[in-house]
Amino acid sequence: MPFPIRSRGVAALTALGLLLALAIGSVAQSATQPSTARTDPAPDTLFPNQGDPRYDVRSYRVRLHYAPETNRLEATATISARARHRLTTFDLDLEGMKVGDVRVDGRDAAWTRHGHKLVVRPTHAVDGTFTTTVEYAGVPREHTDVDGSTEGWVRTPDGAVALGEPVGAMTWLPSNNTPGDKARYTFKVTAPSSVQVAANGNLVARIRHGNQTTWTWRATDPMSTYLATIAVGKFTIYKSRTKSITGRRIPLWSFADPTTDTSATLRDVLPEVIRFEEKRFGAYPLASAGMIIDNARVGYALETQTRPFYPYGAGVTTLVHEMAHQWYGDSVTLRDWHDIWLAEGFATYAEWLWGAAHGEATPAVRFDRLYATPAENELWHPAPTEFVDPADLFGTPVYTRGAMTLQALREKVGGTDFFAILKAWAKEHRHGNARTAQFVALAERVSGEDLGTLFSDWLELDGKPTGY
Ligand SMILES: [Zn+2]
């Protein structure tokens, strides 16, 4: 997601407010989430009530019928997962929608709903691999974030587009809705033949039956729920290929609402942007690429995997940003939302690199200008990894101070080591999840330098780091 078109909201909580929020959060969590075992990963620290750490999803197969006129969908999600230990009950995240039937390994299962939790109690406890099937239907709701922005199943004049950062995927997909649980996806979407359907990955089938058409998209690279998308509406489809630095031909699928004139510029520059970023970040990490340009009035673009979403009027800088996310954010994904600078700081830095190669200020000059920002400015508060309010998830420190962190690193270790670090990060954690401490360790290993103070100054210290 690019800064600053997404609006910012509430100021940071006071210390008292924080204590209250933590107390309320822990009560709310204990009401719906049974205790976890020692082997389970920790829940997300920003959204502890999203996801269930006791199992790991391997794949989602989603069969979905959609009617654009009524915005109603009828769906079956088949979720293959592995329990980390014996479970007599487990949760899926699903906000809204009417659940018809839940089966686990083919047997009817009992279930209840608490808020956005669909709590499933199978006939027999699960252990190891198990498959859950959820039938559900209804008009999915849009989800309003604490910063006031809209996500989830977002309606457009001729259909809808699913935008899931940070938690909106649960409005249309029962899921383990936390970035640390990546899975493979198959989307089988049936809609009137008068509209087109885009999703992540590759289009593997399009079958017309009467006045309906079923589109099958397969996303074979592991993907977090917040990056999953389906877009239904009137689109012009552009199919082409571009060559990776590895020699591989990358399929490009671009879906553009025919009422926008944004598409030609972005489509023309896409292969050049991929080449530019491959030179700096390493080989393009995903099976395909492209874009979805649609008339969803959300005020932001989003790095939906392989096929970012762009609103009308998005420019090349936004494309550079969302494409950089394919390496940093999509392929190498934060495990915990407090590490979002690993996505947004990097994508912002990619904008700086592109700008410098196209006649704008160098990252060093940008850094110096920004560093002159007065100490009381919001750029310095709260530090990028230290925010407590989800409204600060897309705040200036995450994007701009995050990118400054990378420039501070570059000036400390030199350009050669710096780009070696960026490439090693993309390569070693490709298709995985990672945390900030792992990035610090990798940067120290590649450069041979002690970087602990630099990263704690830039990422954790409230206020303006001194001596840079
Ligand atoms: Zn972004």
Side-chain angles (χ1 to χ4, degrees):
M1 194 176 286
F3 181 79
I5 40 182
R6 183 158 184 152
S7 62
R8 295 197 58 232
V10 193
L13 293 168
T14 62
L16 178 62
L18 168 61
L19 286 172
L20 284 170
L22 290 172
I24 292 162
S26 61
V27 169
Q29 189 192 349
S30 61
T32 55
Q33 274 196 349
S35 62
T36 54
R38 211 159 26 88
T39 52
D40 297 331
D44 186 79
T45 57
L46 190 64
F47 299 110
N49 203 25
Q50 292 286 335
D52 183 340
R54 299 170 300 168
Y55 66 89
D56 172 37
V57 177
R58 300 300 175 85
S59 70
Y60 294 95
R61 279 178 290 141
V62 189
R63 244 173 211 283
L64 197 147
H65 289 252
Y66 181 63
E69 320 77 58
T70 57
N71 196 32
R72 180 181 162 83
L73 58 84
E74 291 178 13
T76 304
T78 304
I79 303 153
S80 300
R82 189 182 60 80
R84 297 183 200 280
H85 47 87
R86 187 172 177 276
L87 298 176
T88 54
T89 176
F90 60 91
D91 299 346
L92 291 161
D93 299 296
L94 180 66
E95 185 178 62
M97 306 301 288
K98 191 172 165 50
V99 174
D101 190 26
V102 180
R103 290 188 301 280
V104 176
D105 292 330
R107 293 165 186 265
D108 280 335
W111 53 271
T112 51
R113 301 192 75 179
H114 297 287
H116 70 259
K117 288 293 179 190
L118 171 60
V119 182
V120 180
R121 187 176 292 277
T123 315
H124 300 293
V126 294
D127 202 352
T129 57
F130 65 102
T131 300
T132 308
T133 308
V134 182
E135 287 176 12
Y136 58 105
V139 175
R141 43 176 90 155
E142 293 179 1
H143 181 95
T144 305
D145 291 322
V146 286
D147 67 0
S149 58
T150 296
E151 55 156 339
W153 190 266
V154 179
R155 202 162 184 195
T156 62
D158 53 14
V161 57
L163 302 170
E165 191 181 23
V167 299
M170 65 179 173
T171 61
W172 61 278
L173 178 67
S175 53
N176 194 16
N177 194 25
T178 193
D181 190 357
K182 290 187 160 188
R184 294 177 169 80
Y185 293 67
T186 304
F187 304 101
K188 212 166 194 160
V189 182
T190 302
S193 301
S194 55
V195 294
Q196 287 73 40
V197 178
N200 312 93
N202 278 306
L203 179 64
V204 294
R206 174 169 42 170
I207 298 166
R208 187 173 176 143
H209 30 94
N211 60 0
Q212 300 279 303
T213 299
T214 300
W215 302 64
T216 304
W217 288 88
R218 196 163 287 149
T220 50
D221 301 316
M223 178 165 77
S224 294
T225 49
Y226 82 91
L227 299 166
T229 192
I230 292 174
V232 185
K234 289 189 194 306
F235 291 107
T236 306
I237 303 172
Y238 301 92
K239 172 80 199 297
S240 61
R241 293 192 297 184
T242 193
K243 204 169 179 179
S244 165
I245 50 171
T246 62
R248 174 171 75 100
R249 291 200 179 275
I250 305 166
L252 304 179
W253 295 94
S254 292
F255 281 59
D257 187 310
T259 59
T260 176
D261 58 3
T262 306
S263 150
T265 312
L266 297 191
R267 281 187 294 109
D268 284 352
V269 79
L270 178 61
E272 187 187 340
V273 170
I274 291 175
R275 267 195 304 279
F276 181 90
E277 295 185 340
E278 283 195 313
K279 279 186 195 142
R280 287 150 186 86
F281 310 150
Y284 180 73
L286 303 168
S288 68
M291 65 190 71
I292 297 166
I293 304 177
D294 205 357
N295 190 10
R297 299 178 186 279
V298 290
Y300 58 82
L302 187 63
E303 62 270 27
T304 40
Q305 192 156 308
T306 64
R307 204 146 290 110
F309 159 81
Y310 302 96
Y312 281 19
V316 173
T317 303
T318 302
L319 180 101
V320 168
H321 179 110
E322 306 308 338
M323 289 309 295
H325 274 312
Q326 304 306 307
W327 284 260
Y328 306 115
D330 293 20
S331 171
V332 184
T333 308
L334 47 102
R335 177 172 296 287
D336 189 285
W337 285 110
H338 273 110
D339 289 321
I340 191 171
W341 86 279
L342 289 171
E344 301 303 351
F346 284 57
T348 303
Y349 197 78
E351 294 177 33
W352 294 6
L353 292 171
W354 176 268
H358 294 81
E360 294 173 19
T362 62
V365 168
R366 284 191 202 247
F367 179 95
D368 289 346
R369 284 180 194 155
L370 287 162
Y371 192 69
T373 308
E376 62 275 13
N377 189 276
E378 65 167 7
L379 170 60
W380 310 115
H381 314 275
T385 59
E386 303 305 302
F387 57 93
V388 292
D389 185 344
D392 287 326
L393 184 61
F394 303 106
T396 314
V398 164
Y399 287 76
T400 308
R401 186 167 160 180
M404 292 178 79
T405 303
L406 291 176
Q407 180 59 22
L409 173 65
R410 183 174 175 174
E411 290 181 12
K412 170 91 172 163
V413 303
T416 305
D417 278 358
F418 175 72
F419 285 103
I421 290 165
L422 291 190
K423 283 182 179 156
W425 183 242
K427 189 172 179 185
E428 292 179 21
H429 296 281
R430 184 174 179 226
H431 296 166
N433 290 93
R435 294 219 59 172
T436 295
Q438 292 169 284
F439 182 71
V440 175
L442 181 142
E444 290 187 330
R445 193 190 77 216
V446 172
S447 67
E449 300 203 41
D450 180 355
L451 301 168
T453 306
L454 183 144
F455 282 109
S456 62
D457 277 3
W458 279 93
L459 297 174
E460 297 169 11
L461 181 79
D462 184 50
K464 182 173 177 172
T466 52
Y468 292 93

